[in-house]
Amino acid sequence: MRIATWNINSVRLRLDLLLKLIDEQAPDVVCLQETKVVDKDFPLAALAARGFVHAHVHGMKSYNGVAILSRRPLAACTVQHWCGKEDCRHVIATLPGGIELHSVYIPSGGDIPDPEQNPKFAHKLRFVDEMTEWLASHRSPDRAMVLVGDLNIAPLVNDVWNHKELLDVVSHTPIEVEKLGAMQSSIRWVDAVRHFVPETEKLYTWWSYRARDWDSSDRGRRLDHVWVTPPLTSALTGYKVLREARGWEPKPSDHVPVLVDIAE
DNA sequence: ATGGTAGCGTAGCTA
């Protein structure tokens, strides 16, 4: 089973690129973040025509929005709310075989890496804390689960283009890395992409729109992740970070799709 | 140190 995750930055604007991803990579399941559309306007018909007849979408006007799109049936579709908000950042569904799949969009956190000065950063930290506590108390490492999405944190030295320079930049600060580590430890999540790519190797999934030339400057960060619980680790058979998608015409997302293959 | 671009929706917020 091939699972893709992509922060698409508007599913309506980039529907053609989503169909391109589906046609070229043949995923069985696609998880999206930043769909930026209310549920009634989600372009489900075009996806159904490609065989993605099962969908769990949860969006709002203009901002955020997450989705799970699937060729296979989805069961137990639910929504999680964090920090007392209903801002469409987390959906859950169960795939055939009983694998519980999470599509998550952690808040970006604004610019100032200080929760006292910046409420967005405080929100981000609390969001991760709440998810960690929920996972620890409601889920077990024995259960087959996959968590994917834009976690908006690049935890490893080689998940960013310059570790020292980004230590005080939101997405790579020690407090965020520590909290994401606690979430990962909560039920022994395995980083499915670093399972294949050594930590010594640079790897990014996001390049800013503001760079003059994203490709040659290559100032990226690995913000998008795929995690699996221990029962699925030995079933991991491959991965792909679709760097080429950062150059897709006419208008690329600033994030690229990440794909993982899980043997059934 | 600063400002650079993008999407939504049509001003200003979010990233």
Side-chain angles (χ1 to χ4, degrees), chain A residues 5 147-155 159 180 191 193 205 222-227 258:
Chain A
T5 181
L147 185 151
V148 308
D150 177 4
L151 306 187
N152 264 315
I153 299 171
D159 289 342
L180 192 71
D191 182 332
V193 172
T205 65
R222 189 171 72 108
L223 304 178
D224 303 273
H225 299 270
V226 177
W227 290 356
V258 179

Side-chain angles (χ1 to χ4, degrees), chain A residues 3-73:
Chain A
I3 299 175
T5 181
W6 191 20
N7 179 324
I8 194 170
N9 189 16
S10 173
V11 69
R12 286 178 293 177
L13 188 69
R14 272 179 265 282
L15 177 60
D16 288 348
L17 297 184
L18 175 57
L19 298 178
K20 177 186 175 79
L21 170 68
I22 287 169
D23 291 345
E24 293 182 357
Q25 302 298 326
D28 299 290
V29 182
V30 179
C31 296
L32 299 176
Q33 302 84 37
E34 283 209 84
T35 55
K36 295 188 174 180
V37 65
V38 295
D39 296 349
K40 70 175 176 62
D41 294 330
F42 200 103
L44 291 174
L47 291 155
R50 291 297 205 284
F52 284 73
V53 295
H54 307 282
H56 179 27
V57 302
H58 181 53
M60 59 190 280
K61 187 179 171 182
S62 302
Y63 303 114
N64 311 329
V66 285
I68 297 173
L69 312 169
S70 177
R71 299 183 198 270
R72 318 279 185 87

Side-chain angles (χ1 to χ4, degrees), chain A residues 1 195-196 232-239 260-263:
Chain A
M1 178 164 52
H195 176 78
F196 294 105
L232 292 176
T233 310
S234 62
L236 291 168
T237 55
Y239 85 99
V260 162
D261 292 330
I262 298 172

